[in-house]
Amino acid sequence: MPAGEYLYATPQPTAGSNEEEAWLWAQIKAEARRDAESEPALASYLYSTILSHSSLERSLSFHLGNKLCSSTLLSTLLYDMFLNTFSNDAALRSATVADLRAARFRDPACVSFAHCLLNYKGFLACQAHRVAHKLWTQCRQPLALALQSRISDVFAVDIHPAARIGKGILFDHATGVVVGETAVIGNNVSILHHVTLGGTGKAGGDRHPKIGDGVLIGAGATILGNVKIGEGAKIGAGSVVLIDVPPRTTAVGNPAKLVGGKDTPSKHEDVPGESMDHTSFISEWSDYII
């Protein structure tokens, strides 16, 4: 059966509804069964990570525990910690579902929800960060920081546990992503590899970027300081952003400038964080602001 037909064999519930998590878990288990039948070498792996579990939070907790464990940080301890956190926080589970949907429907290389759950380190790093952030807010900073360190070691993604992240997040490829302590990322944001949301020096306080809903940040972009990237803005690959970017506008270059005429920077009506449109601004380079 073609992938598209297989995926939509049962009607999708409304995003964010109470039925969505159950529908998504059923899809993941069906995908895992299909993959186990087509590739017997993966059957034991798929059984232990997905098919032997009764819920998405149990499968995710088991997988993260095994990914992040070490000789002194045991997988059983991590499993209990992840499962306790996800099981007792419906908002975290809702964010996980939204993140899975984001990867599946924004990234053409993502062939299934199960593929994302098992293999997308950006997704896994984000879910582990959500737990680290929960620990941080519970004044369990040593454990939160230890978890941050393991996430960085294993996934090459370094997000401070105090950073606040919305839902529907796609860390595409994810290698080299750095997010500072006071950074805030809104909902439905897509961030590619080697993106830095950093500070400008050693000063403390509120010193990291605030990313609005629906923003797209291209590969290798660097955003420094307590600057605001407006809702639906687009940051071009390799750009260095040091000042605020208005909503629904595109910034490119080093230092970044707004694309458009000198008096009327162009605006776009789509949601770049969802459309993943990286290049529509190219036709406007003749009017690039210098």
Side-chain angles (χ1 to χ4, degrees):
M1 182 181 293
E5 293 179 18
Y6 178 87
L7 181 63
Y8 299 109
T10 58
Q12 295 185 69
T14 304
S17 67
N18 293 333
E19 296 79 21
E20 185 181 25
E21 184 179 347
W23 175 88
L24 185 59
W25 178 236
Q27 292 294 307
I28 290 171
K29 294 192 78 170
E31 292 165 353
R33 291 190 192 98
R34 175 200 61 188
D35 293 344
E37 291 172 1
S38 65
E39 189 54 77
L42 291 176
S44 294
Y45 172 64
L46 291 168
Y47 180 80
S48 65
T49 54
I50 293 177
L51 296 174
S52 65
H53 299 283
S54 60
S55 64
L56 176 58
E57 62 264 29
R58 287 183 177 275
S59 173
L60 178 59
S61 298
F62 176 85
H63 194 44
L64 286 175
N66 280 282
K67 284 281 190 180
L68 296 173
C69 68
S70 69
S71 59
T72 54
L73 197 60
L74 302 182
S75 61
T76 51
L77 181 151
L78 291 174
Y79 171 75
D80 289 341
M81 178 185 69
F82 285 126
L83 182 58
N84 180 65
T85 305
F86 284 119
S87 297
N88 292 301
D89 194 325
L92 282 189
R93 298 197 303 275
S94 176
T96 296
V97 169
D99 294 347
L100 280 166
R101 290 180 64 96
R104 180 66 185 89
F105 297 126
R106 292 180 211 164
D107 183 359
C110 187
V111 298
S112 68
F113 291 114
H115 173 49
C116 176
L117 173 64
L118 296 178
N119 303 320
Y120 268 42
K121 67 179 185 179
F123 167 77
L124 294 170
C126 187
Q127 307 322 303
H129 163 77
R130 295 189 189 283
V131 174
H133 179 71
K134 188 75 173 180
L135 294 170
W136 186 269
T137 62
Q138 294 171 341
C139 297
R140 300 175 70 185
Q141 284 90 345
L143 183 55
L145 291 168
L147 187 54
Q148 175 200 1
S149 178
R150 286 300 296 160
I151 296 167
S152 180
D153 289 344
V154 174
F155 299 126
V157 176
D158 195 356
I159 307 174
H160 193 283
R164 291 181 285 153
I165 298 180
K167 64 181 183 178
I169 303 300
L170 172 61
F171 287 115
D172 196 358
H173 301 289
T175 299
V177 167
V178 176
V179 180
E181 179 182 10
T182 61
V184 178
I185 300 174
N187 300 319
N188 302 315
V189 172
S190 293
I191 297 176
L192 275 82
H193 49 289
H194 291 292
V195 166
T196 297
L197 306 182
T200 58
K202 65 178 184 179
D206 194 358
R207 61 195 185 280
H208 295 105
K210 310 297 181 284
I211 310 300
D213 294 347
V215 169
L216 172 62
I217 306 178
T222 299
I223 306 174
L224 300 178
N226 186 16
V227 299
K228 182 176 181 180
I229 309 302
E231 178 180 348
K234 187 187 303 183
I235 309 300
S239 300
V240 177
V241 180
L242 304 174
I243 59 174
D244 291 353
V245 175
R248 295 174 299 284
T249 60
T250 298
V252 296
N254 181 6
K257 306 291 184 182
L258 301 183
V259 172
K262 290 185 177 180
D263 298 319
T264 56
S266 66
K267 290 196 173 186
H268 43 78
E269 299 303 324
D270 68 335
V271 180
E274 297 180 6
S275 71
M276 302 296 288
D277 177 9
H278 291 265
T279 59
S280 62
F281 60 85
I282 290 177
S283 63
E284 303 167 21
W285 273 12
S286 60
D287 291 326
Y288 189 89
I289 297 176
I290 300 296

